[in-house]
Amino acid sequence: MQGGGGVSCAVAGEAPTPGPRRRLGLTIDPAGDVEAPAERVGRLVRESPVVIFARRGCCMCHVMRRLLEAVGAHATVIEVEEAAEEAAASAAAAAAVPALFVGGAPVGGLDGLMGLHLSGLLVPRLREVGALCG
């Protein structure tokens, strides 16, 4: 991957495709600049209404994606591959990876997502940030 960043993008529910991954409107290293991991995490969170930072093959991330899909939202999943990026995502979310952000605000991990869902606040919050239609 160019730019030296260890972040790759995938859309929840899509099978990986051979070759380079699509950028989906997210910029990994804008204009070829190399960003610090904390700056990159902040920018990626601002560029999409629902973002999950996770390690490849994380079962908790899979559960988070499935719950979001069940209510009609499709998260942008950022797979962190370097320790510095994982630490930056964890620090920004105040939770371990997988870390969820909705509308740029940290929700936390799976427990935070489940708390929002069980309290009935998840769907209204997703609608508020434009992640759901209607």
Side-chain angles (χ1 to χ4, degrees), residues 13 58 83 117:
C58 173
H117 179 62

Side-chain angles (χ1 to χ4, degrees), residues 25 44 88 98:
L44 292 170

Side-chain angles (χ1 to χ4, degrees), residues 19-110:
R21 293 188 183 201
R22 298 181 323 169
R23 289 208 175 169
L24 306 171
L26 299 174
T27 51
I28 301 303
D29 288 320
D33 296 335
V34 177
E35 297 173 290
E39 291 173 1
R40 183 178 297 126
V41 166
R43 183 179 45 74
L44 292 170
V45 164
R46 290 187 303 271
E47 289 179 348
S48 183
V50 182
V51 179
I52 300 171
F53 289 91
R55 286 181 228 98
R56 177 173 286 229
C58 173
C59 62
M60 289 186 292
C61 175
H62 177 75
V63 172
M64 293 170 80
R65 289 186 348 220
R66 294 295 301 241
L67 174 57
L68 289 165
E69 289 171 1
V71 298
H74 295 281
T76 299
V77 177
I78 309 294
E79 292 177 351
V80 292
E81 297 171 351
E82 296 176 6
E85 290 164 340
E86 183 174 335
S90 294
V97 171
L100 172 67
F101 293 82
V102 176
V107 171
L110 179 57

